[in-house]
Amino acid sequence: MPQNSQFTFKKKIANGIIKNYAAIIVFGIIEIIVLLHSSSIWEDTKQNTVSSYSLTKSYQENVVSDSEGSKYFNVDIHDNHIAGIEFYADIIEGTGEVEWKLWGSNGDCIFAGQLSLLNYADSKYRIEFGETIIQNLDYYQLELTLLNGGSIQVYTDADNYIRAVYHYNFQYRRAILVFITLANIGIAIIMILLLCKISIYIKFWIIAVSTGILSIIFVTPLSMPDEFRHFARAYSIAEGNELCRYDDQGEPYIDIPTDIYNLRYMAPDNVDQRADETNFTINISRWIYYLKSENHDDRTEAWMGGVDEKGILEYLPQIIAIKIGMLLGAKQIWLFYWSRMGNWIAAALIWFLCLRMVPKHKHLIVVLYCMPTNIIMACTSSTDGLVNALVMLVMVMCILCYYNHKTLMDKKVLIVLFIVSTYIAIIKLPYILVLYLFVALDPEMSCTGADWRKLFRNVLLVTGMCLLSYCVASCYKNLYVYKNSTGNFIEFILYTIKHSLEIVRVLFLQEFVYNFDKYYRSAIAVNNLDITVLVLPYSILMIYGGACEKSEKNIKTIQLVIIMLICSAIWAVILLAAYLWTGIGATQLWGVQGRYMCPVIMIGSLLFALSDKIYSKNSAKFIPVFCMFIMIVAFMNIVQTQWV
């Protein structure tokens, strides 16, 4: 960089600090509060945190009795800070007294002792020993010999590993505090940069790169809904296995490396909940062990329900990233982070394209990008981040046509819109209704008879495009699913009509009225954070970001009504799909999550952006800084709730 350029850049930073010293002081105080909050979370951390060796999907039963002598069970010890071992067993008869020995791979007896009913609780034996006992990370054998007659039944996996639970002394509190402190200092510096007079495009990339790195690292593996199946499916396709196989019950499965399958068992809560694939918390010792472990050839069968019909297009960013990682020789477990990186790059590039294209309301684009749930989903292996970016692309195309007096009759607009809408239909069909924004924001709309006919024509045109995109998406999905439909579609429609009143009651009274606030909060905040901490400031920021730049057009009431109807229709279709999935007659919908409302919130933000109200444009420079503040609060709460 030339010397003059360096001087100019330093001068901009210095001027930014001088002119905004009050804001810097305020945000500095906020940073200190956040840091103290994030530091205090470790005060209540338990001395021992539980991790699992979770191994396979089925267990074998090994009976140890006095007549059989000793039995040996495999144990995989992967952390020299281990404080003890638990294994599951039932006392069939006798006193349950057991002699045990822990043998190393070299044939030496590492430790020995006896177990009694004092060591037995909740169908588990617990063996305790000091941390200095285990010196090497290795595969060990546990020898059990029953004393005083009787028999016990020990639960093992298919490879004779005991169903073990390891107890660790928490060793990483200081290291994580240092990491959190550095992250806070880094974001404080970023906030100062964002207050300087630099273009909004540079500000966007400062936000995108910093929050992207933090999200990829901080958000625990498989902590987002369905992330395991999305990543496993993408990994399988990257290996060349595009089709799932089906069992006799029609359930889809794929074979993936066991190391990748075991990602879902890094959470202590998943020890017993073997069907659970979401890590709401994660044990740091086990996470570090996985990152250090070498590749293994073992493969495991993984259930792919709900993603078996998804193919290359849905996971294209992940597949490309995984392929690159494979070519560079990355470990299997690290490919998970390659996958996240691919998703984030694709989403960030689409959002940047939107920012460049949109003629107005650029600050609103930044605000919507920084919706915590939105950006965190974009940095995981879920497809939600990609589809949210595509929805924003359709919105920006619509705004661009609105201000440039272009209609749907423009062939270039139709071609590009059809491609994007088909991509959305392939990933998540209900969001295809965003196309009706072109009806709401027709630049030639008025209330004359001729324009009402034009409105009807636009409705037919958009409906036809939606149906065409749906047909293309259906044909595409049929390439990946080879199974016969067992249901009768006509009977299903008649059954739905018969219970229409029940559907209306559950959807509109229960979900629209009583649970709307819950879905709204969880759409913005990660893990349903308190509304005063995150949701309320973001909501105000979204309104302000949309209204800080005055619209040059007088949007009509009918147009605002259509936008509200589009938001309601998308949410209604999502709820209806969840209701039919749950089963007619259910009083509680299964599978509805706040993340589904992210596009609804994005579309609804146009109600503020297209109004004729305007706030001070000079204060718009604080918008990116507020976004970073909201994101750091979200990250600190993730650390507080998920890392143990």
Side-chain angles (χ1 to χ4, degrees):
M1 182 183 292
Q3 189 171 358
N4 291 336
S5 300
Q6 289 182 353
F7 177 76
T8 303
F9 183 70
K10 291 178 181 178
K11 188 176 180 180
K12 285 183 177 180
I13 294 178
N15 289 336
I17 295 174
I18 293 171
K19 291 181 180 180
N20 301 288
Y21 68 91
I24 292 173
I25 292 174
V26 171
F27 283 115
I29 294 173
I30 292 173
E31 276 289 297
I32 292 173
I33 294 172
V34 173
L35 177 60
L36 292 175
H37 170 69
S38 58
S39 302
S40 66
I41 65 177
W42 303 109
E43 296 302 323
D44 298 327
T45 302
K46 294 180 181 179
Q47 289 299 312
N48 294 311
T49 55
V50 181
S51 182
S52 64
Y53 171 63
S54 168
L55 319 173
T56 60
K57 296 200 307 180
S58 59
Y59 293 102
Q60 296 178 343
E61 300 170 352
N62 288 270
V63 177
V64 182
S65 64
D66 59 344
S67 60
E68 296 176 346
S70 302
K71 278 204 171 185
Y72 295 85
F73 303 93
N74 298 322
V75 183
D76 173 18
I77 293 181
H78 50 69
D79 194 307
N80 53 15
H81 295 300
I82 188 172
I85 299 174
E86 285 184 350
F87 62 92
Y88 286 75
D90 288 329
I91 300 175
I92 300 176
E93 58 182 354
T95 61
E97 294 185 1
V98 182
E99 182 183 66
W100 65 271
K101 294 180 181 179
L102 190 66
W103 297 89
S105 58
N106 56 1
D108 296 336
C109 180
I110 308 298
F111 204 46
Q114 282 191 210
L115 301 173
S116 66
L117 290 177
L118 296 176
N119 309 102
Y120 185 79
D122 299 327
S123 300
K124 291 180 290 188
Y125 279 104
R126 179 168 183 177
I127 300 174
E128 297 185 10
F129 43 78
E131 295 178 32
T132 57
I133 297 299
I134 302 300
Q135 299 296 329
N136 300 312
L137 310 183
D138 202 350
Y139 292 93
Y140 292 77
Q141 279 196 323
L142 182 67
E143 178 186 356
L144 298 180
T145 304
L146 194 65
L147 303 176
N148 301 325
S151 60
I152 63 173
Q153 185 170 268
V154 180
Y155 294 91
T156 70
D157 72 0
D159 296 319
N160 202 40
Y161 281 90
I162 62 173
R163 187 181 182 185
V165 177
Y166 299 102
H167 288 262
Y168 297 99
N169 287 327
F170 190 73
Q171 301 291 323
Y172 304 100
R173 178 159 121 25
R174 186 172 299 174
I176 290 182
L177 286 178
V178 171
F179 188 75
I180 290 175
T181 303
L182 293 176
N184 276 267
I185 293 173
I187 288 186
I189 294 172
I190 289 172
M191 286 182 175
I192 295 174
L193 287 174
L194 293 174
L195 288 170
C196 298
K197 289 185 178 180
I198 52 180
S199 72
I200 194 169
Y201 307 117
I202 296 176
K203 290 182 178 181
F204 171 82
W205 281 116
I206 290 174
I207 293 173
V209 172
S210 58
T211 56
I213 292 173
L214 286 172
S215 295
I216 291 170
I217 295 174
F218 266 129
V219 179
T220 61
L222 312 185
S223 59
M224 294 295 107
D226 306 327
E227 188 180 6
F228 168 72
R229 278 174 290 149
H230 283 291
F231 169 62
R233 184 78 174 107
Y235 182 90
S236 177
I237 295 175
E239 282 190 318
N241 304 316
E242 296 184 13
L243 302 179
C244 294
R245 57 182 179 79
Y246 297 86
D247 62 13
D248 296 337
Q249 287 73 40
E251 294 294 326
Y253 290 91
I254 59 170
D255 291 325
I256 58 173
T258 303
D259 289 342
I260 291 177
Y261 183 84
N262 286 348
L263 269 172
R264 60 193 290 188
Y265 294 127
M266 285 193 286
D269 295 339
N270 289 355
V271 179
D272 295 314
Q273 301 295 328
R274 301 187 60 80
D276 197 352
E277 60 182 26
T278 303
N279 292 322
F280 295 107
T281 58
I282 186 172
N283 183 279
I284 299 175
S285 295
R286 186 151 185 80
W287 176 65
I288 293 175
Y289 163 70
Y290 264 100
L291 294 182
K292 291 180 178 179
S293 63
E294 298 296 329
N295 293 344
H296 296 90
D297 295 329
D298 300 338
R299 298 183 73 86
T300 302
E301 190 179 68
W303 179 66
M304 289 290 104
V307 299
D308 55 316
E309 61 181 16
K310 295 183 181 294
I312 294 175
L313 291 179
E314 296 92 318
Y315 304 118
L316 188 58
Q318 299 183 61
I319 293 170
I320 293 174
I322 292 172
K323 279 286 189 182
I324 294 173
M326 288 177 173
L327 292 175
L328 295 177
K331 295 179 182 178
Q332 290 171 347
I333 202 67
W334 282 97
L335 293 176
F336 173 77
Y337 289 97
W338 280 83
S339 172
R340 282 187 166 187
M341 181 67 71
N343 255 3
W344 168 75
I345 291 174
L349 288 174
I350 294 174
W351 278 91
F352 181 70
L353 176 63
C354 294
L355 191 64
R356 295 287 300 187
M357 287 174 54
V358 71
K360 282 185 174 293
H361 318 301
K362 293 182 184 293
H363 283 99
L364 179 62
I365 303 296
V366 174
V367 171
L368 294 177
Y369 176 81
C370 288
M371 188 189 305
T373 298
N374 186 19
I375 195 170
I376 288 173
M377 293 301 298
C379 296
T380 66
S381 296
S382 172
T383 58
D384 289 85
L386 180 59
V387 76
N388 290 352
L390 292 173
V391 168
M392 177 52 66
L393 183 58
V394 174
M395 289 174 56
V396 166
M397 289 175 61
C398 185
I399 294 173
L400 189 63
C401 292
Y402 181 67
Y403 282 108
N404 292 343
H405 297 280
K406 289 185 178 181
T407 66
L408 273 175
M409 302 309 293
D410 189 304
K411 291 183 180 179
K412 291 182 180 179
V413 174
L414 278 176
I415 293 172
V416 176
L417 193 61
F418 173 71
I419 294 172
V420 177
S421 66
T422 302
Y423 210 157
I424 293 174
I426 288 172
I427 301 177
K428 194 156 287 185
L429 183 61
Y431 298 144
I432 200 176
L433 297 178
V434 70
L435 266 64
Y436 283 94
L437 281 178
F438 283 87
V439 176
L441 298 183
D442 185 351
E444 300 177 357
M445 179 183 288
S446 65
C447 295
T448 64
D451 286 307
W452 282 108
R453 288 193 294 271
K454 188 185 294 183
L455 175 65
F456 183 67
R457 181 202 66 190
N458 287 343
V459 170
L460 292 179
L461 186 60
V462 172
T463 303
M465 184 178 295
C466 288
L467 291 174
L468 187 59
S469 295
Y470 168 73
C471 291
V472 174
S474 297
C475 293
Y476 165 81
K477 290 178 181 294
N478 287 334
L479 297 175
Y480 295 95
V481 181
Y482 290 98
K483 58 180 179 178
N484 296 324
S485 177
T486 56
N488 188 311
F489 186 72
I490 296 178
E491 290 182 0
F492 177 75
I493 294 295
L494 294 175
Y495 186 76
T496 304
I497 294 174
K498 181 179 178 181
H499 294 80
S500 56
L501 290 178
E502 176 67 13
I503 293 174
V504 169
R505 184 191 68 79
V506 174
L507 295 188
F508 290 93
L509 293 182
Q510 178 177 312
E511 304 300 330
F512 261 102
V513 178
Y514 296 117
N515 291 331
F516 182 84
D517 174 65
K518 177 187 72 175
Y519 293 130
Y520 177 79
R521 283 184 284 115
S522 60
I524 292 175
V526 181
N527 294 333
N528 296 317
L529 303 185
D530 190 84
I531 190 169
T532 57
V533 174
L534 193 61
V535 179
L536 189 58
Y538 180 85
S539 302
I540 296 172
L541 182 63
M542 185 175 65
I543 295 173
Y544 185 83
C548 69
E549 191 169 1
K550 186 175 181 179
S551 175
E552 295 176 352
K553 294 195 173 187
N554 262 334
I555 189 167
K556 300 173 180 60
T557 303
I558 182 64
Q559 293 175 301
L560 295 176
V561 171
I562 294 175
I563 293 175
M564 288 189 286
L565 288 176
I566 292 169
C567 295
S568 300
I570 292 175
W571 188 234
V573 171
I574 291 171
L575 293 177
L576 180 61
Y579 186 68
L580 298 178
W581 177 275
T582 305
I584 295 175
T587 57
Q588 183 69 33
L589 299 190
W590 182 85
V592 183
Q593 297 156 21
R595 62 190 170 112
Y596 297 147
M597 192 179 277
C598 287
V600 178
I601 294 174
M602 290 158 52
I603 297 169
S605 66
L606 291 178
L607 297 173
F608 308 112
L610 299 175
S611 67
D612 57 356
K613 294 181 180 179
I614 183 170
Y615 300 100
S616 173
K617 290 183 65 175
N618 293 329
S619 59
K621 62 184 178 182
F622 293 106
I623 288 177
V625 185
F626 276 112
C627 287
M628 286 302 298
F629 164 67
I630 288 174
M631 289 306 300
I632 192 60
V633 174
F635 289 133
M636 292 305 102
N637 277 273
I638 288 174
V639 173
Q640 180 181 1
T641 57
Q642 294 186 355
W643 291 88
V644 295

